[in-house]
Amino acid sequence: MYDVVVVGGGTAGVAAAYTAAKSGLKTLLIEKKIHLGGAITSGLVLPVMNAGKSEINRDFYDDLVKKMSEFGAQIDFQGNNGWFNPEVLKIVLDEMLSAAGVEIRFLTSVTKVEVGFDNNIKSLELRSELLLENINKIYSHNNSDMLRGADPKQLLECIKQIDGYNNSEEGNCLLECVETRYVIDATGNCDVGKICGCNFIENETQPVTLRFIMSGVDMKKFAEYLRSVDSDKEVSPIEKIDGCIHLSTAYTWDKNSTWALRPIFEKAIAAGDLTLEDSNYFQVFTVAGCDGALAFNCPRILKDLDISDSKAVSEALIEARGSIMRLANFCKKYFTGFEKAYISNIADDLGVRVSRRIEGRYLYTERDLKEGKRFENPVLEANYPIDVHSSEQDGSELKKVGYYQLPIESLMSADINNLFVAGRCLSADFKAQAALRVQQSCFSMGEAVAKYIRNLIS
Ligand SMILES: Cc1cc2nc3c(=O)[nH]c(=O)nc-3n(C[C@H](O)[C@H](O)[C@H](O)COP(=O)(O)OP(=O)(O)OC[C@H]3O[C@@H](n4cnc5c(N)ncnc54)[C@H](O)[C@@H]3O)c2cc1C
């Protein structure tokens, strides 16, 4: 029996599991991939956007920044200390969560949820993807020392699966049932809520992005080039930190904005080096501890995408990778400093800004956010703007707002008593979610939910 099972070891999930285990709760973390970090590591989403300096539920984030700095994988750029190296983050999260006492289960997801008549989750059925090699090992050692002392129920399940292995696609998995007092759904898409049959808020979508990194950029030359074409320090800040040049720059196809890089993009489109769609959004950031690496917050795919439609997602991935190739060649041809640059990483997950959101005990609205409404149990205090990416030219918005709070009730399922959510699948309307989805806020949500559960238990 666990006190809490956190499903999804991404941005909000790691903060939730870390906080829960550190406060003494028996905590299991279920992650379907082979590493933690979610959008940050799988999606190469960096840096953490500055969402203000509030002190509410920032312990995990502060510990993370400290540990990343010890690993030489973090910098403070223009007053934002959330510039990370995403590969090292995987190692740091393993260490932090293991040291806190979290039991981590990779390659695992939830297949079934048992909900009692009292509307409480009793248990979760887990499916663990195992390597064929491991299954063969168990199979060939059947009745051997390796299986002595194993739970007979689990063993039976295990053997059933192995026997079916040759004939069934489902064969390379083991099923296991775990009991828990509380569940935190931090899957981004609210997968546990979906299995439980919860109600959702599903309305407008934002374009998805497949991010990538180019390495081998001569940053000194690129910085000089940027200075010569764009003197606007708001758009193209450049700073020397620990002997390395760090910078960022951006361009969008929106006509209502003035961008110094516009003539360069227009020239590339006219020459057939880029399509108009390739140029819809372009943003780059240097990466902490990776001299010569630039992380791209593009290409943004303009279709309205149902992320549960595997055919549509597959087409989007293929389209995005084609666009990545064109963008990389464009940089090499048009920007000084890219002569020896190459694509070094492509995200292994599409970056999804918004999808299924839980119907919670409180639906947080754009109005609450704009009015800075105060709550009895605030989860976070932030000032990140309403940031809506649109598929239409001139349709995007980035609206500055003052400080706002989010109540814990927006992270509680309205349907299931012991189900909480954390991260971008919170109970918020479209515009409010467009501000709250950033990483700093997701970390706070995870931490706050874990603290709330600890108080319920103690
Ligand atoms: C393109 C893009 C750019 C962005 N740019 C920025 C930025 O620059 N700065 C910023 O602060 N924010 C940015 N954001 C927002 C932010 O990164 C995300 O909203 C936030 O990280 C989401 O956190 P999460 O915990 O909800 O989900 P995630 O971090 O995606 O975590 C979900 C985790 O659950 C796992 N999972 C999913 N389903 C299951 C399942 N069924 N079983 C087990 N595990 C499962 C996933 O593998 C993943 O690890 C951006 C988002 C996108 C998409």
Side-chain angles (χ1 to χ4, degrees):
M1 168 67 95
Y2 291 93
D3 290 320
V4 57
V5 175
V6 180
V7 186
T11 320
V14 290
Y18 176 80
T19 310
K22 261 193 108 177
S23 66
L25 301 184
K26 189 167 165 20
T27 308
L28 176 67
L29 176 59
I30 304 297
E31 169 53 49
K32 71 174 179 184
K33 299 223 160 196
I34 60 165
H35 56 74
L36 302 175
I40 311 176
T41 50
S42 298
L44 298 176
V45 176
L46 52 120
V48 175
M49 283 292 148
N50 220 335
K53 298 283 175 215
S54 153
E55 295 297 313
I56 300 186
N57 296 313
R58 275 185 67 115
D59 299 348
F60 168 78
Y61 184 45
D62 289 345
D63 289 355
L64 180 65
V65 168
K66 190 162 167 270
K67 195 87 184 164
M68 288 295 283
S69 158
E70 284 165 21
F71 275 65
Q74 173 272 346
I75 56 158
D76 189 329
F77 181 78
Q78 308 276 299
N80 177 358
N81 62 2
W83 281 50
F84 296 148
N85 170 335
E87 296 304 326
V88 178
L89 185 77
K90 294 174 185 170
I91 302 165
V92 165
L93 289 174
D94 281 348
E95 288 206 2
M96 281 177 70
L97 272 70
S98 301
V102 179
E103 186 182 331
I104 303 171
R105 219 63 83 71
F106 289 120
L107 291 171
T108 303
S109 48
V110 176
T111 44
K112 273 189 203 151
V113 181
E114 185 200 348
V115 180
F117 289 117
D118 57 356
N119 269 349
N120 275 302
I121 294 174
K122 305 285 178 211
S123 65
L124 304 170
E125 188 183 90
L126 309 181
R127 175 196 159 112
S128 307
E129 304 293 330
L130 291 180
L131 294 174
L132 173 60
E133 195 189 324
N134 288 345
I135 290 168
N136 284 339
K137 245 191 246 165
I138 297 173
Y139 193 43
S140 60
H141 286 79
N142 200 354
N143 291 327
S144 77
D145 284 353
M146 200 179 150
L147 298 179
R148 198 168 292 151
D151 173 355
K153 214 168 114 197
Q154 239 173 288
L155 198 58
L156 188 70
E157 276 304 319
C158 160
I159 290 165
K160 257 200 268 170
Q161 293 302 321
I162 294 163
D163 281 341
Y165 179 75
N166 286 333
N167 307 323
S168 147
E169 271 181 45
E170 299 285 292
N172 59 345
C173 75
L174 297 183
L175 296 176
E176 181 187 347
C177 200
V178 294
E179 293 179 356
T180 182
R181 297 166 87 172
Y182 292 94
V183 177
I184 302 174
D185 185 340
T187 58
N189 302 322
C190 215
D191 283 3
V192 180
K194 176 77 180 167
I195 297 172
C196 292
C198 292
N199 288 307
F200 294 107
I201 312 149
E202 283 173 288
N203 41 28
E204 296 150 85
T205 59
Q206 295 197 37
V208 296
T209 295
L210 187 69
R211 296 180 66 146
F212 68 106
I213 294 181
M214 288 187 81
S215 298
V217 180
D218 184 329
M219 220 50 86
K220 190 163 172 274
K221 277 165 88 181
F222 184 50
E224 275 162 17
Y225 167 80
L226 257 191
R227 273 196 198 99
S228 72
V229 293
D230 188 5
S231 56
D232 186 342
K233 293 195 177 64
E234 292 268 306
V235 179
S236 302
I238 300 168
E239 214 183 310
K240 201 165 185 179
I241 302 167
D242 301 334
C244 292
I245 290 172
H246 284 280
L247 56 84
S248 148
T249 192
Y251 165 79
T252 73
W253 69 347
D254 298 331
K255 297 277 187 215
N256 55 14
S257 327
T258 46
W259 298 104
L261 296 180
R262 186 177 304 284
I264 301 148
F265 276 86
E266 284 177 349
K267 200 170 153 195
I269 293 164
D273 291 322
L274 286 179
T275 66
L276 179 63
E277 289 73 25
D278 291 331
S279 76
N280 79 76
Y281 192 91
F282 177 89
Q283 192 175 29
V284 292
F285 304 93
T286 44
V287 185
C290 301
D291 199 12
L294 265 186
F296 287 67
N297 186 9
C298 49
R300 203 172 60 172
I301 301 302
L302 297 175
K303 291 188 185 93
D304 268 348
L305 193 66
D306 171 0
I307 58 142
S308 59
D309 177 345
S310 71
K311 187 167 177 278
V313 169
S314 304
E315 285 167 4
L317 283 165
I318 292 166
E319 185 184 327
R321 284 192 277 265
S323 182
I324 287 174
M325 198 64 240
R326 288 189 295 277
L327 284 163
N329 287 335
F330 155 76
C331 290
K332 283 169 77 74
K333 184 168 170 185
Y334 290 83
F335 294 149
T336 312
F338 276 76
E339 295 77 6
K340 293 187 177 160
Y342 55 93
I343 298 168
S344 54
N345 316 57
I346 297 179
D348 62 16
D349 237 348
L350 263 184
V352 176
R353 292 184 168 85
V354 58
S355 61
R356 205 184 286 139
R357 279 158 289 138
I358 196 96
E359 213 172 274
R361 298 213 188 145
Y362 186 87
L363 173 66
Y364 189 78
T365 64
E366 179 186 6
R367 188 168 171 187
D368 293 334
L369 187 132
K370 283 184 171 162
E371 288 178 351
K373 187 169 171 181
R374 317 297 284 174
F375 294 92
E376 199 180 326
N377 278 313
V379 161
L380 57 85
E381 226 171 63
N383 65 356
Y384 188 77
I386 296 177
D387 184 3
V388 178
H389 290 244
S390 168
S391 306
E392 308 288 325
Q393 209 164 12
D394 291 325
S396 296
E397 67 178 80
L398 187 67
K399 262 195 207 137
K400 278 198 175 164
V401 286
Y403 270 89
Y404 46 84
Q405 291 189 337
L406 177 75
I408 187 77
E409 290 78 8
S410 295
L411 305 180
M412 293 174 172
S413 158
D415 303 299
I416 306 285
N417 297 328
N418 60 349
L419 176 64
F420 290 79
V421 300
R424 65 177 165 83
C425 56
L426 81 163
S427 176
D429 70 15
F430 178 72
K431 289 283 181 78
Q433 194 272 1
L436 285 157
R437 69 162 185 271
V438 287
Q439 292 159 16
Q440 196 178 309
S441 296
C442 289
F443 289 141
S444 295
M445 289 184 220
E447 181 171 327
V449 163
K451 286 177 177 168
Y452 190 82
I453 291 175
R454 182 205 52 206
N455 289 340
L456 289 176
I457 287 179
S458 61

